[in-house]
Amino acid sequence: MGFPKDFLWGAATAANQYEGGYVSGGKGLSVQDTVTGGDGIHGIPRMISIKYADGTTGELPLKFGSEIPSGASAYVDENKYYPSHVATDFYHHWKEDIALFGEMGFKSFRLSLNWTRIFPNGDEEQPNEEGLKFYDQIFDECAKYGIEPFVSMNHFDCPLHLATKYDGWANRKVVDFFMKYVETILTRYKGKVKYWMTFNEINFCRGYQMIGITEAESNEQKLNQAIHHILIASAKAVKLTHEIDPENKVGMMLAYLLSYANTCNPDDVLAEIDFSREIKDFYLDIQCRGYYPNYKIKEFERKGIVLEKEEDDDQVLMDGTVDYIAFSYYNSHVISATPVGESAGGNHMMGIKNPYLESSEWSWGIDPKGLRVALNKLWNTYQKPLMIVENGLGAKDTVAEDGAIHDTYRIDFLRKHIVEMEKAICEDGVELIGYQAWSAIDIVSAGTGEMRKRYGFIYVDKDDDGNGTLARIRKDSFYWYKKVIASNGEDLE
Ligand code: BG6
């Protein structure tokens, strides 16, 4: 009983929320570098804000076709605050941070690579050597501590130049640019990285901030075409990952939005099925089975959506099925056929509030048993090894007078989820290869740009406006997780 002996305990991060160094070492601008802070902070909304060489400024949505002048720092507005520019500065703290991960006993560490650190504009012929070297150091440092890197090729990240010149993923050419980047990193890090994931939360790769396309919400034809390009790119990346090193394992990464029907009224049940298909099953079906499911084909027929496909696209999808399913799990969703009840909060949350659950400070319903449900549903449907690559609690932490951070609420959240995870493995026979909490260390919130919404085991001294020393402090959860890992999940107290 208990967790498998080689269970991959660890935690996760994402480049645009953690790395900083946004124009250091030859890095180019990514769309995320043009997103300002602000959501809920001082009542200012977040926006995409950019300054052109002629001094004019643009705000969301950016003009498609805008020419980007050279000199990356010319493209952001110095009067605005952009959280990704420094983030929590992994760029300058990587040695110290990885040492702390080693001290916690991490077996694995998930990070994403900044596409624009390697191809600053996205469409160059040659990669940026300095950017490649940056990640060499990271992987070498992880190896010193016996930490297995899990690399997301793309975490809500699109070079700004690809957005403004090509309209991002709406343009098929971006598949080729992406594949050049993928081939570069797979070749360079062969032997250093074994576990790969293609697109973070592929079911939320939509909209300007994520994939650099305009009109994403209003033009379903265009959005579905862009999603098709992303699925093709993912499948090609899977195939190439195996070709470059047959030892590699490559997974898809999904936001697992577990949903419950509000009542046993068949209309609610059907509404939940529709929700599930739209928001997650489609991505799972296509990446695990290799073809568009019938319900999607029917939906396209009903809506008059016709995808432009290249001749071998169907084969590409078939040849690019994944080795494992990586997913994030934060909360669950209640779906009703009719608008009833209070609407719920959550990451990418839809649906209504679940009266059986407690909520986080950000109103996300806390549902540890839902994790067991999710694991069972995924395993029973696809029979592919599973990997939890995000699970955690966003909360406001305070530094106590003794200088410590007593985050018992976080420990409680994680403990309850780990208990359910163990049941899924030991009682239900689910094949789960590892667990990565979100996040290894405090990083900027993806949804709101806030710093005060913290997830990490390590506190970083920085506030919502970007002030702070960036000093690192171990939270109580740091010592707790260290014990959990050392006891392979036996000691959860
Ligand atoms: C996931 C993303 O959706 O949720 C992460 O993959 C994100 O990038 C995490 O940080 C938590 O969401 P948020 O908005 O609280 O940062």
Side-chain angles (χ1 to χ4, degrees), residues 31 102 112 202 233 283 286 314 396:
V31 171
S112 70
I202 191 160
Y283 300 88
I286 207 158
D314 290 343
K396 290 177 201 146

Side-chain angles (χ1 to χ4, degrees), residues 17 155 200-201 330 347-348 364 390 438 445-447 453 455:
Q17 296 169 253
H155 191 122
N200 176 66
E201 295 191 341
Y330 290 91
N347 87 323
H348 321 296
W364 297 21
E390 288 186 32
W438 187 264
S445 156
K453 189 182 192 190
Y455 286 88

Side-chain angles (χ1 to χ4, degrees), residues 262 268 271 334-343 351-352:
N262 188 38
D268 282 347
V334 178
I335 301 302
S336 164
T338 47
V340 288
E342 194 186 328
S343 61
I352 56 176

Side-chain angles (χ1 to χ4, degrees), residues 46-194:
R46 297 186 89 190
M47 52 192 158
I48 308 271
S49 178
I50 194 168
K51 188 165 155 193
Y52 298 106
D54 65 5
T56 59
T57 53
E59 288 179 357
L60 182 84
L62 275 179
K63 291 169 275 179
F64 166 53
S66 320
E67 275 301 314
I68 294 201
S70 58
S73 56
Y75 312 134
V76 287
D77 184 345
E78 53 286 356
N79 299 314
K80 299 256 162 56
Y81 169 59
Y82 298 90
S84 75
H85 290 191
V86 176
T88 47
D89 205 21
F90 183 53
Y91 194 73
H92 296 104
H93 291 76
W94 56 269
K95 221 176 180 25
E96 175 188 353
D97 289 356
I98 296 170
L100 287 164
F101 304 156
E103 188 183 326
M104 261 188 284
F106 281 13
K107 310 286 179 218
S108 68
F109 166 50
R110 174 176 177 230
L111 73 163
S112 70
L113 308 188
N114 245 318
W115 187 350
T116 50
R117 202 170 282 298
I118 294 168
F119 286 94
N121 283 326
D123 61 355
E124 294 91 341
E125 278 301 313
Q126 295 303 323
N128 170 32
E129 177 58 26
E130 216 177 326
L132 287 166
K133 276 195 186 132
F134 173 70
Y135 296 112
D136 272 326
Q137 309 171 114
I138 304 301
F139 300 136
D140 294 345
E141 199 67 12
C142 284
K144 282 192 200 162
Y145 295 92
I147 299 173
E148 190 81 62
F150 268 69
V151 176
S152 318
M153 296 170 174
N154 188 285
H155 191 122
F156 298 158
D157 176 26
C158 177
L160 182 61
H161 176 72
L162 297 188
T164 54
K165 184 161 178 199
Y166 300 91
D167 206 8
W169 283 93
N171 191 325
R172 177 92 192 200
K173 283 190 184 140
V174 173
V175 175
D176 297 333
F177 300 139
F178 180 74
M179 287 314 296
K180 178 149 210 161
Y181 155 74
V182 168
E183 187 178 0
T184 305
I185 57 177
L186 288 171
T187 311
R188 176 71 169 229
Y189 305 125
K190 181 175 174 179
K192 294 190 183 192
V193 178
K194 178 176 162 200

